[in-house]
Amino acid sequence: MDKQDFPLIFEHSKYGRTSYSLPELDVPEVDLEDELDDSYIRTEAPELPEVSELQIIRHYTALSTRNHGVDSGFYPLGSCTMKYNPKMNETVARMEGFSHIHPYQEPETVQGAMKMMYDLQTSLAEITGMHQVTLQPAAGAQGEWTGLMMIRAFHEANGDRKRTKVIVPDSAHGTNPASATVAGFDAVTVKSNERGTVDLEDLKRVVGEDTAALMLTNPNTLGLFEENIVEMAAIVHEAGGKLYYDGANLNAIMGYARPGDMGFDVVHLNLHKTFTGPHGGGGPGSGPVGVTEELARFLPKPALVERNGSYVFDDDLPDSIGRVKPYYGNFGINLRAYTYIRTMGAEGLKKISEFAVLNANYMMRRLQTEFDLPYTQHCKHEFVLSGKRQKKLGVRTLDIAKRLLDFGYHPPTIYFPLNVEEALMVEPTETESKETLDGFIDTMIQISNEAKEDPEIVQEAPHTTVVKRMDETTAARKPILRYIKE
Amino acid sequence: MEFRYLPMTEEDKQEMLKTIGIESTDDLFSDVPPQIRFNGSLNIKEPTSEPQLLQELSSLSKQNVNLKSHASFLGAGVYDHYIPSIVDHVISRSEFYTAYTPYQPEISQGELQAIFEFQTMICELTGMDVANSSMYDGPTALAEAANLSASQTKRNKILVAETVHPESRQVIHSYAKGPGLEVIEIRQKDGVIDLEALRAEIDDQTAGVIVQYPNFFGQIEPLQEVQQLLETEKAMFIVSSNPLALGYLTPPASFGADIVVGDTQVFGIPAQFGGPHCGYFATTKKLMRKVPGRLVGQTTDEEGRRGFVLTLQAREQHIRRDKATSNICSNQALNALASSVAMSSLGKQGIKKMAWLNMQKARYLKKKLEERGIPVVYQGPFFNELVIDLQRPITEINQLLLPKGFIGGFDLGKCYSQLSGHMLIAVTEIRSKEEIDNFVKEVGDIHG
């Protein structure tokens, strides 16, 4: 460790120091070595840190100050819906009757938990316009795969084995084609048109009797509503394919439109986005999946159903794709989402989308004077700028992002979607005040001016963070993935 | 109705509409075709105020019997362990829990370093070279390991011991459908994998062999013998392991494991009805560039300071898209953090002591049960769980135990037809002698 390096927990370690508090053995001790073969008894202790409780607290507190969350400041990270995470949700999730229940308790001892789950899946079905919802998938990507496996099971049940292709737009999130592959399909790309939405002619070209499904985010990753969705649904359905809705962007349309009404057959939701999960620094998330009545028999098992006023897990589902995750999904995250939905109600959910969309459009219109805006129609909850103009001045989108760090902002998503050069994808969310939006806009304009007048200050940013730009090339070329005691 | 999470005032709204150049927010939705516009009101419950909702959810939570109100002997993959108070304090730091994936390293060093430390701790416990930033949970990590073994060996057959957690096996079957793998279950003998059955199935098409250590019945699998069997066929050795047990047991790496996975729920994560927990995935240096999920690596910044970044991202879905071998995008960062804090709190000595306490208590429980005439079915070396034969529907027994203050064990008949009337029971360091004595007495009285 260099003296300017921030220490690792292992570097605080000192032989003999402890921080645990375990009960003393209150039963007669037996000699374990009598029972176990020597080769199964560990000889070398794992090098876990030997630190005091205060050292642990100081270490992690210091680490937390080296981290930016929504509570630290504005986080307009496109496609991630970094909205405020209500504290009440955390209080509810820590209630003993929710946090300390075992998945294998007899169902009659956990009816309260099952009622919450049942209400949540019913509410999500209503919000999305779907027939039935499973809460089992752990996250959005697992929801995608679950949905595709159901579509696969549907085609197979029809004896239709030639449907090997899943169509994804060129603007799609990387999980879409990856999920298609993992589910055993080949991913095929459909192009976007000059308005940033799916090119209908190209869709007609790629769709066919080998089409299993079209995966779509609506609004799409450019933040634009796929206004031809009705025609698209017809094209895919007429060809015998199914429509898959990636719910990453549901925050834009709650109470205004429902995927089920648009013609989607399967929908996944990201409860850690739209429904305040929270994100947890990368997870855990939760990715419930809703389906039409036609596909309901393929849902993962067990299904949570109500029978004669009590809740049961039904495992007797012969057509189910099986289990996708142990137990019943990420209950703790689902509980937070439920608390949020109950707080907001139908009226609140619609207002969420109204303000998410208003905020994004306001920012887009104010920023379009300084930055290229490739698609000029109204956006939904997010929009994508291009840093082309600044690039000509030698300032790249990456530099703009790094410069924003100096002002205490988390930058927008950059270089995504792939079909926009030097992309900057901004998603303000509905929980930010106008003052915050204005502050960010002013800063973006200031950075744009800096790019013209003093590009170095942007190119060399950040100037104020605890570390400067990292050497990512060496990190990948000579990976150091763990600490080794010197 | 007022909504405390929505800060815009009417004045703000009007100014913003003016800037955009529209009359009303409805204009922003004019691109939604009329025939699919939702014009009604969603049929969900009315918005509820904080005090009312807290009261309602609190009473809902109280309808659930829980691991703090009752002494639990239920394990089967999810355990009631000591959680140091500091764990919840650390994970309640909102800089951690309200952050996204650390894509901007300059303002994410806290999370990145915490993950790097987690990776290190998992390597230490398992003995493996490399561990990732975490997976959804143990069973899905195991299923990913199975699929990885197939793509790595270009073989198609996965052998999984029947003594692996039943839900893990179910998830393996589901995950195997995509790449079209053949999953064959190897029967058990005396509570561990039947080595003869394994020998009969293993061949040059076997991609991976999966065992659990300790296994679903709590028994310690003969890893040495399994390793010898698969060496000749060069199949990959995949071990699912309770990381707490590795505080006392020889790590799987010492038996030549290629991939070690499991769940760190045992370290600082409450049961919470089965999730979220936290999977871990550890492997050899050779497979480093094939690992699913995120990896954090150490590097330096422009001024030579040590720092951390997400690395080897060329493996991941957002770069490889349809060429990716896993679609995993998130990890369980916050739960990995909880486990790191718990592991730091236990430390080098505490982890051994905690594992040892579990083993001691389990042996006391076994002795007591046998003294009371309740047959303990498997007699091999074990960790903290055992199987008893009660010859009576387990649900019935659990119903009788409940008013006595106990959450009884797992009904093995649900997953193993030959084990109906058998209960899997777990004991951890927090079960007292008195609770164990009383539990045995009550089970004994029911058993007759």
Side-chain angles (χ1 to χ4, degrees), chain B residues 250-261:
Chain B
T250 302
S254 303
F255 299 102
D258 296 289
I259 303 175
V260 183
V261 300

Side-chain angles (χ1 to χ4, degrees), chain B residues 65-195:
Chain B
V65 168
N66 70 67
L67 303 172
K68 300 299 147 192
S69 64
H70 287 60
S72 168
F73 287 83
L74 188 53
V78 180
Y79 304 93
D80 185 24
H81 286 294
Y82 151 62
I83 300 180
S85 301
I86 56 171
V87 171
D88 201 44
H89 285 271
V90 171
I91 64 167
S92 296
R93 297 284 307 186
S94 67
E95 298 90 338
F96 287 128
Y97 82 80
T98 71
Y100 193 67
T101 304
Y103 284 128
Q104 295 289 340
E106 297 88 343
I107 54 165
S108 310
Q109 283 302 302
E111 181 66 51
L112 287 161
Q113 182 172 328
I115 294 173
F116 182 80
E117 293 172 356
F118 174 80
Q119 290 174 179
T120 305
M121 292 179 201
I122 296 300
C123 289
E124 282 295 331
L125 280 172
T126 58
M128 304 303 282
D129 305 324
V130 179
N132 77 0
S133 65
S134 69
M135 308 288 282
Y136 302 138
D137 50 61
T140 58
L142 188 54
E144 291 264 11
N147 286 12
L148 174 58
S149 74
S151 65
Q152 180 67 13
T153 57
K154 305 205 167 31
R155 298 176 181 182
N156 214 32
K157 199 159 107 180
I158 304 291
L159 306 182
V160 52
E162 196 189 43
T163 49
V164 168
H165 194 298
E167 296 206 17
S168 295
R169 282 182 281 129
Q170 290 168 7
V171 174
I172 290 167
H173 282 285
S174 303
Y175 271 60
K177 277 185 221 160
L181 308 182
E182 185 187 7
V183 181
I184 296 168
E185 300 202 353
I186 306 297
R187 67 169 181 265
Q188 60 122 333
K189 191 181 171 198
D190 303 329
V192 293
I193 187 168
D194 182 340
L195 292 167

Side-chain angles (χ1 to χ4, degrees), chain A residues 220-236:
Chain A
N220 65 23
T221 56
L222 292 163
L224 305 173
F225 195 82
E226 294 281 353
E227 51 203 356
N228 297 321
I229 181 61
V230 177
E231 292 82 346
M232 288 163 72
I235 292 167
V236 175

Side-chain angles (χ1 to χ4, degrees), chain A residues 402-410 443 446-447 450 464:
Chain A
K402 297 303 182 196
R403 182 64 178 141
L404 279 166
L405 303 178
D406 288 331
F407 296 90
Y409 294 115
H410 193 290
T443 303
Q446 181 185 331
I447 294 171
E450 287 174 351
T464 58

Side-chain angles (χ1 to χ4, degrees), chain A residues 35 39 42 87 101 104-105 108 119 126 181 256 281 321 323 325 327 342 354 402 471 482, chain B residues 13 38 43 45 56 65 97 99 104 124 137 167 170 174 177 246 250 273 299 322 363 399:
Chain A
E35 176 198 326
S39 54
R42 184 162 196 147
K87 304 304 153 193
I101 50 177
Y104 289 144
Q105 280 177 231
E108 55 274 19
D119 277 4
E126 169 69 9
T181 300
Y256 285 93
I321 60 162
R323 178 179 286 285
K325 179 165 182 359
Y327 319 116
R342 291 294 313 279
E354 179 188 1
K402 297 303 182 196
D471 181 354
R482 56 158 300 178
Chain B
K13 184 172 160 180
F38 185 74
N43 183 21
K45 287 180 178 157
E56 184 191 323
V65 168
Y97 82 80
Q104 295 289 340
E124 282 295 331
D137 50 61
E167 296 206 17
Q170 290 168 7
S174 303
K177 277 185 221 160
L246 301 182
T250 302
F273 212 36
T299 185
D322 62 321
R363 275 140 190 83
Q399 273 160 355

Side-chain angles (χ1 to χ4, degrees), chain A residues 4-7 9 11 19-21 23-24 26 30 32 35 39-42 46-47 49-50 53 59 63-64 66-71 75 80 86-88 94 97-102 104-106 108-110 112-113 119 126 141-142 152 172 174-175 179 181-182 184 227 252 256 261 279-284 321 323 325-327 330-332 342-344 346 354 359 380 402 430-432 434 468-471 475-476 480-483, chain B residues 3 5-6 8 13 15-16 25 28-29 31 36 38 43 45 48 56 61 64-67 74-75 78 82 86 88 92-95 97-100 104 106-111 113 116-117 119-120 124-125 137 165 167 170 174-175 177-178 222-224 246 248-250 271-276 289 297-302 306-307 317 321-322 327 330-334 345-350 353 360-361 363 381-382 395 398-399 429 433:
Chain A
Q4 58 173 357
D5 291 345
F6 185 84
I9 187 91
E11 291 163 342
S19 166
Y20 63 85
S21 172
E24 285 305 313
D26 59 354
V30 294
L32 297 172
E35 176 198 326
S39 54
Y40 289 90
I41 299 175
R42 184 162 196 147
E47 284 295 335
E50 299 185 84
E53 186 164 314
H59 176 73
L63 282 185
S64 76
R66 295 163 72 85
N67 219 51
H68 181 99
V70 173
D71 287 4
Y75 214 128
C80 300
K87 304 304 153 193
M88 180 190 172
R94 284 166 172 78
F98 290 134
S99 60
H100 291 291
I101 50 177
H102 193 290
Y104 289 144
Q105 280 177 231
E106 300 292 334
E108 55 274 19
T109 69
V110 283
D119 277 4
E126 169 69 9
Q142 214 201 13
R152 185 178 152 145
T175 50
S179 298
T181 300
V182 176
E227 51 203 356
Y256 285 93
D261 301 332
H279 282 82
I321 60 162
R323 178 179 286 285
K325 179 165 182 359
Y327 319 116
N330 282 343
F331 175 83
R342 291 294 313 279
T343 299
M344 302 307 287
E354 179 188 1
N359 290 0
K380 287 283 137 328
K402 297 303 182 196
E430 73 285 356
T431 58
E432 299 296 338
K434 181 166 178 294
K468 306 244 333 175
R469 290 195 202 186
M470 307 302 298
D471 181 354
I480 303 171
L481 305 177
R482 56 158 300 178
Y483 167 75
Chain B
F3 295 101
Y5 309 143
L6 301 175
M8 287 302 171
K13 184 172 160 180
E15 272 181 50
M16 291 162 79
T25 50
L28 296 171
F29 294 88
D31 46 8
I36 58 160
F38 185 74
N43 183 21
K45 287 180 178 157
T48 311
E56 184 191 323
S61 113
N64 305 319
V65 168
N66 70 67
L67 303 172
L74 188 53
V78 180
Y82 151 62
I86 56 171
D88 201 44
S92 296
R93 297 284 307 186
S94 67
E95 298 90 338
Y97 82 80
T98 71
Y100 193 67
Q104 295 289 340
E106 297 88 343
I107 54 165
S108 310
Q109 283 302 302
E111 181 66 51
Q113 182 172 328
F116 182 80
E117 293 172 356
Q119 290 174 179
T120 305
E124 282 295 331
L125 280 172
D137 50 61
H165 194 298
E167 296 206 17
Q170 290 168 7
S174 303
Y175 271 60
K177 277 185 221 160
L223 296 191
Q224 221 161 5
L246 301 182
Y248 194 89
L249 300 181
T250 302
Q272 43 193 343
F273 212 36
R289 287 171 198 274
Q298 179 184 316
T299 185
T300 49
D301 74 355
E302 288 167 350
R306 178 173 66 191
Q317 46 73 29
R321 297 178 76 86
D322 62 321
N327 70 337
S330 57
N331 63 2
Q332 302 291 99
L334 195 66
S345 177
L346 287 170
K348 191 176 178 174
Q349 298 173 37
K353 182 165 181 194
Q360 289 291 343
K361 299 242 170 167
R363 275 140 190 83
F382 67 112
T395 302
N398 283 338
Q399 273 160 355
E429 73 287 344
K433 175 175 180 294

